[in-house]
Amino acid sequence: MGKRRCVPPLEPKLAAGCCGVKKPKLCGSGTHSHMNQATTIPGSSSGILQNHQHTEGSNGRENVSNLSVGTGNPPITRMNPTSGALSPLSRPNGTANGTKSLVVTAEMCCYCFDVLYCHLYGFPQPCLPRFTNDPYPLFVTWKAGRDKRLRGCIGTFSAMNLHSGLREYTLTSALKDSRFPPLTREELPKLFCSVSLLTNFEDASDYLDWEVGIHGIRIEFINEKGVKRTATYLPEVAKEQDWDQIQTIDSLLRKGGFKAPITNEFRKSIKLTRYRSEKVTISYAEYIASRQHCFQNGTLHAPPLYTHYS
């Protein structure tokens, strides 16, 4: 069994990516279709940009996608225009109520939409939200259209206070994901926003000490040039790609920039950390429904209600 710890012992603002844009074909330890390679941050033992094509300063941000939900998503909430109270909405992805009380809430996604909307239309940023400001490793993902194609996803493995962390990574993932052009006003009605919070970090006993569909994994390894690299996949990635443990590990090594043949002995040298995540997703339409009281004259082009969080 792994050794559990509350938070990952990583450098401040260290981020991690979870998967590539396209689904690669895998076959054991053979060569895989490439994902974006990792880039070492000078002066950091584990400051790596995975799935990112350029370094964005010393913050160690990385592109992320397909973030995972642990058990079930909490209900989406809608603002009652007359009372100002929040009432349950139907779940966007049909998930049932989980028995565990989750930290992540739909209001976090609404706040991300508020931040992006204000930025794109030049409004002042919204007031601070009412949900918890406890620190968590966090990720913000943007997808677009009926096929929910990835449009941006960047996050951090370091615990950040949620209010400032979500505000920062809302804009970073929407505007600075090097794989995509920045999001535009015209794309807003087609967007889906996901917020993921990472929890339950544990040191694994070996590279197989984790479960597909349950754990996200972060690996550290020494590449063929003697440089320490890291890479990560969040919990649902392996299951969505229909990978077993070895396929996932090998894909993650390739994603981290390892180009040499992958042997079982090399896999045994990997240091693996496993973790879980909580995730919630809402569409722009659900966001608009939660903020409909602040849109005037039947137009969507109005600022969010800044007093909503006061």
Side-chain angles (χ1 to χ4, degrees):
M1 296 296 293
K3 182 179 179 181
R4 183 171 178 175
R5 57 178 185 266
C6 296
V7 294
L10 305 177
E11 291 85 349
K13 302 298 287 296
L14 178 63
C18 75
C19 79
V21 181
K22 297 181 179 180
K23 182 175 179 179
K25 296 180 181 179
L26 298 179
C27 53
S29 60
T31 301
H32 311 306
S33 300
H34 81 90
M35 298 181 181
N36 296 334
Q37 297 178 357
T39 304
T40 304
I41 299 175
S44 172
S45 61
S46 57
I48 304 298
L49 295 181
Q50 287 103 20
N51 208 19
H52 210 288
Q53 295 178 343
H54 70 281
T55 302
E56 302 195 61
S58 60
N59 286 339
R61 296 185 180 90
E62 302 176 36
N63 292 357
V64 208
S65 61
N66 295 338
L67 294 175
S68 165
V69 59
T71 49
N73 291 345
I76 300 301
T77 52
R78 172 179 288 148
M79 175 63 73
N80 184 321
T82 57
S83 68
L86 291 170
S87 57
L89 277 174
S90 60
R91 295 171 183 276
N93 45 10
T95 54
N97 284 318
T99 57
K100 179 184 177 182
S101 177
L102 300 180
V103 175
V104 71
T105 68
E107 190 62 22
M108 294 177 185
C109 292
C110 288
Y111 180 62
C112 293
F113 268 119
D114 280 348
V115 171
L116 180 61
Y117 191 104
C118 288
H119 177 84
L120 292 177
Y121 281 94
F123 294 117
Q125 283 295 301
C127 297
L128 293 178
R130 293 182 298 186
F131 54 74
T132 178
N133 194 32
D134 290 343
Y136 284 89
L138 59 91
F139 299 88
V140 179
T141 303
W142 298 101
K143 294 185 178 182
R146 292 181 178 179
D147 56 349
K148 295 185 179 180
R149 65 188 181 280
L150 185 65
R151 281 295 280 113
C153 192
I154 300 178
T156 177
F157 261 102
S158 297
M160 292 187 67
N161 293 101
L162 289 178
H163 295 173
S164 60
L166 288 175
R167 181 180 299 212
E168 175 178 346
Y169 282 98
T170 288
L171 297 180
T172 301
S173 61
L175 307 174
K176 297 182 180 180
D177 189 324
S178 64
R179 298 170 294 178
F180 310 104
L183 287 172
T184 65
R185 296 180 186 180
E186 290 72 26
E187 292 180 275
L188 273 172
K190 301 177 182 179
L191 291 180
F192 295 82
C193 178
S194 297
V195 169
S196 295
L197 308 181
L198 304 190
T199 62
N200 302 98
F201 287 83
E202 300 174 299
D203 292 323
S205 59
D206 57 46
Y207 73 97
L208 295 177
D209 186 21
W210 60 282
E211 295 182 52
V212 172
I214 300 296
H215 297 108
I217 58 172
R218 180 181 186 272
I219 63 171
E220 296 181 18
F221 61 94
I222 305 299
N223 69 8
E224 61 273 23
K225 296 181 179 180
V227 178
K228 179 180 286 188
R229 311 301 291 268
T230 66
T232 190
Y233 281 146
L234 292 172
E236 82 280 16
V237 174
K239 184 175 181 179
E240 289 180 352
Q241 300 292 332
D242 197 26
W243 295 338
D244 60 26
Q245 288 178 302
I246 293 180
Q247 288 176 315
T248 305
I249 292 293
D250 290 358
S251 173
L252 203 47
L253 285 168
R254 297 304 186 203
K255 176 183 172 232
F258 188 73
K259 297 179 174 61
I262 300 173
T263 65
N264 200 47
E265 286 303 312
F266 185 79
R267 295 187 192 104
K268 292 179 180 179
S269 71
I270 292 170
K271 178 182 178 182
L272 187 144
T273 300
R274 68 189 189 194
Y275 57 88
R276 303 194 184 199
S277 93
E278 299 178 9
K279 177 184 175 183
V280 66
T281 301
I282 69 167
S283 67
Y284 183 77
E286 289 165 325
Y287 162 68
I288 290 300
S290 75
R291 300 290 190 261
Q292 61 185 345
H293 61 290
C294 70
F295 293 91
Q296 301 174 354
N297 302 322
T299 177
L300 299 183
H301 300 293
L305 183 65
Y306 302 116
T307 58
H308 168 65
Y309 297 115
S310 61

